[in-house]
Structures are given as structure tokens and as C-alpha cells.
């Protein structure tokens, strides 16, 4: 019976020498910073690896990665940029997967908060509607789709103001400079004071899904920590974290 | 592909318009401010000087962030403008002008301050003995003598406003023809991975800035000479 603990000891020793503690450098789209911090903490707790997170806009990361930025893994805010990195031979095609689906919400920070629903947009009782820049931000593109699907594009043209990204769009609404805005449900989830009936979760049927892809970059190919982190992101534990932050989990593939 | 797209041109024109308006406003409010700073004995002098210089050291996103909060309907600026019947200033051209005035203030006040300071008391005393009134003294003595300082101030204020980015990003709302200036347009191109358009606009900015600075240094030299003689 003594052999069992000994075997475990030898096995553990062998394991730690094989996959030595490594550091993984991760570029993360700002909108995913909350869940990513938590995922990284959990990951570090169960493995011997170390995670270094950098948050920023996906477009900037794309440019930096092309210029040789030292990232092993990239959590993009969309699927296009990882795909493009693959076609430029800067990332591993096989490793690309959707880690989260963004949920769009229409929100007003007015106090007392108004109850929002699908009729709010056609009632024209507001002067400024904030959306993220549709050219840059998937949430912005989705917002434009929603407005067009509802047949309100021409009517709302004059009311639109664009934040450069979803964070700024959120600030426009939160400060009250814009009466309404299409923001990410994940942002509202972080607000302690927003109760569920002050925003309207836009149904998926009104826009194409906001799929966010992660990918292993060339630099991370031989990094055990990089691959382990990507695997961990697919685990049930990580999925629960992601959902708790206001994202949906892609249908299992 | 034509050199500039319609949207690029719109952004360039808007930027030039913004910089022109801001420069005029800054010269008008910067001159008395600089004059006061040169002549005052007030104990507030160093505080006001620090306040004027603050945008030099603050990140534009900080200025933009607080302006956004201040311009909100329940913010101090927003409250005031709403009472005047102007509505709120965020996402409007006047809002950009206000923000740029704050942001570019030190670039205009400091050269004027230095130019007036360098004149010393002597020309004013001479003018006073010749019974020149204060306005007469200002327009016929101070202004011609300090002219290079004013030109430097105008050029710097203009150029700095053209290059402004962080503040506009925070309070602009990126509305074509209203608040989408060149720097924001470049940012858009880069973020959208449209590097070709980004290059064209960026190179235009570099050439423009280089020409402005070269012009500035060519007027800077004779002015120093003139000042040392007076």
C-alpha cells in the first residue's frame, strides 16, 4: 500500500517537470475584462501557470500582434480579427473558438428609471440614442441591425451618437448625456444599482449573434500555459463565470 | 481610390473650422488672462497659473471624462446651458469648442504671457507719460511689440486643437460633420484595419504639423531678436 502515495509522488514530480509552470501573456478585449480576471484567477489556482492580462481594443491588439507584440493568446471582441490573423499566418487556425456571445441591452440611466421595452425606440420620447461605433464594435453593428430590423433607421438617424467602443457608449448613457443607449448586458451586470426592469434585453432574433473568438497566437504555440488556459476557458467552471457576467455561452460544438 | 474619401474631407473641414473658432476664442479670453497674470499682485496668481497650465499635464481622457460629467443634464455646465435654453453640449460643435478651449488654453496663454512679461514696465510708463489711455496703450504699444508672442500663441493653439483626440473621443459622439474630427477619423480607420486610409490622413497630419512648426520657428527667431533689443 505504501506504493500508492509513492507512485503519486513520482507521477506528480514527472508531471511538473513535463509541463513546467509557464507564463501566458493574454490580450483581452476590454469588454471581457471582468470575466477574464476571474477566469485567470481560477486557472492560476488549479494550475501552476501564471497569467498576465492586457486589456484593450481588439483593433489595437490586431495591429500590435501584426507588429510582433508578445502575446500568446488573443481574446477578441469579434470573430473577424482572429480569422484575419489566421489568414496572415499569425495564429493557429485549429485553436480558434467562440468563448462568449455578447448580449445586447437597451438601457437608460434616467432616475427614476423608466421601464424599457421594444416600443421605447418608436415612441421618440428621447433626444439622444447612444450606440457603439458600428464600424468598430460588434455591439454597435448589432445595434444598427436592431434599429433597421425595427424599421426605425431613418427616424432615429438624427438621434444617434456613437461611442468609440461599448465602454464609452456606456459612459454616454450613465452620465445622462444620452437618454438611451445600446450597451452590453455584461456592463449592466456590473452595476449594483440597475434592477432588471430598467433595461430591455434585445431578442437574438433582431440581430446576428455577437460572437467573440479566442485564438492561440504563433508565439504561444509551444507554451503549455497558453493551451491550458484556452482549454480551461471551455470548462464548465469558466462557462459559469462567463454566464454570470452577462454573456451567453455558444452552443456546444 | 481617391486621396480622401468624402468622410475624410468632411473630417478635415470640420477640424479646420474647430481649430479656427477655438483659436479666436482663445486669443480673446487668453489675452486679458495673460495680462492679468503679468500684472496682478493677487495671492491667487500662482493658483490661477497652475489652473491654466493644468491641461499640459492632465491626460486628455481625464479632461474629457470630467467635461462629459459636467455637461450632463445634472452636471454644472449642463444645468447652466439647459437653463439658458441651449440644451446640453455633449455631442455638439459648441461642446467641442468649449472642450478644446479648456484643452488648448495653456498653449495660447503662456506665449502671450511671456511676450507681455518680456516687454517690462518701461513701454507702458512711456506711453502713460504721453497720456495714452489703456486701450490706446494696448493696441498701439503692447500689441505691436508683443506681436510675435501672439502669433506663436495663435499657431500653437490652432495646431494643438487640430491634433486633439482624447477629449473629442470622450465628449464628441463621433457624429459625421458635427464632431468627427480628423484624429478620430484616423483612429476609426486604424481600428477598422483600414490602414491605407489611416496612412493617407496620418501623413497629411504629419506634413501639416511639420509645416506649421517650421513656420513657427521661422517667425520665432526675429521675435527673440526684437525683444532683446527693446
Amino acid at each position: 500500500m505504501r506504493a500508492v502515495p509513492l507512485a503519486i509522488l513520482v507521477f506528480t514530480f514527472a508531471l511538473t517537470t513535463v509541463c513546467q509552470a509557464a507564463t501566458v501573456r493574454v490580450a483581452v478585449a476590454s469588454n471581457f475584462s471582468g470575466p477574464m480576471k476571474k477566469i485567470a484567477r481560477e486557472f492560476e489556482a488549479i494550475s501552476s501557470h501564471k497569467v498576465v492580462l492586457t486589456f484593450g481594443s481588439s483593433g489595437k491588439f490586431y495591429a500590435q500582434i501584426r507588429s510582433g507584440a508578445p502575446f500568446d493568446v488573443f481574446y477578441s471582441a469579434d470573430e473577424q480579427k482572429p480569422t484575419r490573423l489566421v489568414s496572415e499566418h499569425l495564429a493557429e487556425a485549429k485553436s480558434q473558438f467562440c468563448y462568449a456571445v455578447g448580449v445586447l441591452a437597451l438601457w437608460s440611466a434616467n432616475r427614476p428609471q423608466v421601464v424599457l421595452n421594444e416600443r421605447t425606440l418608436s415612441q421618440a420620447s428621447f433626444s439622444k440614442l447612444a450606440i457603439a461605433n458600428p464600424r468598430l464594435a460588434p455591439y454597435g453593428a448589432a445595434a444598427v441591425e436592431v434599429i433597421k430590423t425595427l424599421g426605425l433607421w431613418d427616424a432615429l438617424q438624427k438621434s444617434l451618437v456613437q461611442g468609440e467602443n461599448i465602454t464609452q457608449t456606456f459612459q454616454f448613457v450613465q452620465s445622462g448625456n444620452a437618454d438611451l443607449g445600446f450597451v452590453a448586458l455584461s456592463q449592466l451586470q456590473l452595476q449594483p444599482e440597475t434592477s432588471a426592469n430598467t433595461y430591455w434585453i434585445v431578442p437574438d432574433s433582431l440581430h446576428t449573434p455577437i460572437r467573440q473568438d479566442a485564438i492561440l497566437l504563433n508565439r504561444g504555440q509551444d507554451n503549455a500555459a497558453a493551451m491550458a488556459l484556452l482549454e480551461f476557458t471551455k470548462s464548465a467552471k469558466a462557462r459559469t463565470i462567463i454566464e454570470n457576467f452577462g454573456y451567453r455561452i455558444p452552443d456546444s460544438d | 481610390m481617391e486621396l480622401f474619401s468624402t468622410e475624410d474631407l468632411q473630417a478635415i473641414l470640420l477640424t479646420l473650422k474647430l481649430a479656427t473658432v477655438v483659436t479666436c476664442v482663445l486669443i480673446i479670453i487668453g489675452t486679458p488672462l495673460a495680462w492679468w497674470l503679468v500684472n496682478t499682485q493677487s495671492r491667487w496668481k500662482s493658483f490661477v497659473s497652475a489652473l491654466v497650465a493644468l491641461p499640459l499635464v492632465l491626460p486628455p481622457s481625464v479632461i474629457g471624462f470630467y467635461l462629459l460629467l459636467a455637461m450632463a443634464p445634472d452636471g454644472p455646465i449642463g444645468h447652466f446651458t439647459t437653463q439658458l435654453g441651449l440644451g446640453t453640449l455633449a455631442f455638439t460643435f459648441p461642446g467641442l469648442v468649449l472642450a478644446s478651449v479648456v484643452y488648448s488654453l495653456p498653449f495660447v496663454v503662456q506665449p502671450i504671457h511671456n511676450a507681455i512679461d518680456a516687454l517690462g514696465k518701461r513701454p507702458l510708463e512711456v506711453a502713460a507719460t504721453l497720456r495714452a489711455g489703456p486701450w490706446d496703450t494696448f493696441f498701439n504699444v503692447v500689441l505691436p511689440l508683443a506681436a510675435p508672442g501672439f502669433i506663436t500663441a495663435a499657431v500653437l493653439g490652432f495646431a494643438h486643437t487640430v491634433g486633439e483626440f482624447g477629449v473629442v473621443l470622450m465628449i464628441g459622439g463621433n457624429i459625421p460633420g458635427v464632431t468627427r474630427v480628423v484624429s478620430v477619423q484616423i483612429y476609426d480607420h486604424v481600428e477598422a484595419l483600414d490602414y491605407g486610409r489611416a496612412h493617407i490622413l496620418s501623413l497629411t497630419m504629419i506634413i501639416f504639423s511639420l509645416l506649421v512648426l517650421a513656420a513657427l520657428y521661422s517667425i520665432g527667431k526675429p521675435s527673440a531678436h526684437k525683444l532683446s533689443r527693446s
Side-chain angles (χ1 to χ4, degrees), chain B residues 5 7-8 11 180-189 201:
Chain B
S5 69
E7 294 209 314
D8 286 350
R180 185 187 289 165
V181 296
V182 171
S183 55
V184 173
Q185 181 78 349
I186 293 174
Y187 179 84
D188 265 27
H189 286 324
L201 268 187

Side-chain angles (χ1 to χ4, degrees), chain B residues 42-217:
Chain B
S42 165
R43 60 201 171 96
W44 292 101
K45 180 177 171 169
S46 29
F47 181 73
V48 174
S49 298
L51 210 58
V52 169
L54 205 54
L56 285 176
V57 292
L58 282 183
S61 50
V62 170
I63 303 172
F65 178 55
Y66 281 114
L67 281 173
L68 185 69
L69 295 186
M71 286 177 180
D74 52 357
I77 300 175
H79 193 73
F80 180 68
T81 53
T82 317
Q83 288 209 320
L84 290 180
L86 297 169
T88 51
L89 290 181
F91 322 124
T92 64
F93 185 76
L96 278 201
V97 172
L98 176 69
S100 308
V101 163
V102 172
Y103 183 56
S104 297
L105 190 65
F107 292 83
V108 172
V109 171
Q110 291 187 345
I112 298 178
H113 180 282
N114 293 344
I116 294 177
D117 203 26
L119 292 182
K121 291 264 177 276
R122 188 88 184 118
L124 303 183
E125 285 164 4
V126 173
T129 56
L130 296 171
R131 293 189 188 170
W135 291 104
D136 188 11
T137 311
F138 180 78
F139 284 104
N140 294 313
V141 180
V142 176
L143 210 50
L145 284 175
F150 280 89
I151 295 170
T152 306
V155 174
L156 277 182
F158 188 90
H160 197 245
T161 306
V162 166
E164 175 179 335
F165 172 67
V167 174
V168 189
L169 203 60
M170 291 297 270
I171 64 153
N174 199 355
I175 304 168
V178 182
T179 57
R180 185 187 289 165
V181 296
V182 171
S183 55
V184 173
Q185 181 78 349
I186 293 174
Y187 179 84
D188 265 27
H189 286 324
V190 173
E191 287 286 298
L193 318 186
D194 192 349
Y195 291 178
R197 291 236 163 273
H199 275 310
I200 295 174
L201 268 187
S202 304
L203 288 173
T204 310
M205 283 284 265
I206 292 173
I207 293 166
F208 170 80
S209 310
L210 209 57
L211 290 177
V212 165
L213 290 176
L216 192 65
Y217 286 127

Side-chain angles (χ1 to χ4, degrees), chain A residues 37-145:
Chain A
K37 279 181 199 158
K38 200 156 181 188
I39 289 173
R41 261 204 312 277
E42 297 279 344
F43 174 71
E44 283 179 333
I46 60 152
S47 72
S48 52
H49 300 308
K50 195 174 162 353
V51 181
V52 180
L53 299 175
T54 306
F55 303 107
S57 83
S58 300
K60 215 170 291 148
F61 281 135
Y62 170 84
Q64 290 174 346
I65 290 163
R66 275 184 26 148
S67 304
F71 295 118
D72 302 307
V73 178
F74 177 33
Y75 286 73
S76 181
D78 62 5
E79 21 180 16
Q80 285 81 22
K81 287 176 194 87
T83 308
R84 205 154 152 170
L85 286 169
V86 167
S87 69
E88 285 163 354
H89 308 292
L90 291 165
E92 191 70 43
K94 291 195 300 288
S95 67
Q96 186 173 350
F97 74 102
C98 174
Y99 60 91
V101 180
V103 179
L104 192 66
L106 183 66
W107 177 52
S108 165
N110 284 343
R111 292 176 190 84
Q113 285 171 324
V114 286
V115 176
L116 297 182
N117 52 41
E118 66 272 30
R119 289 190 305 279
T120 313
L121 284 177
S122 49
Q123 279 162 349
S125 53
F126 56 92
S127 66
K128 290 276 181 261
L129 170 65
I131 60 170
N133 188 331
R135 194 175 161 217
L136 313 180
Y139 286 94
V144 169
E145 265 186 87

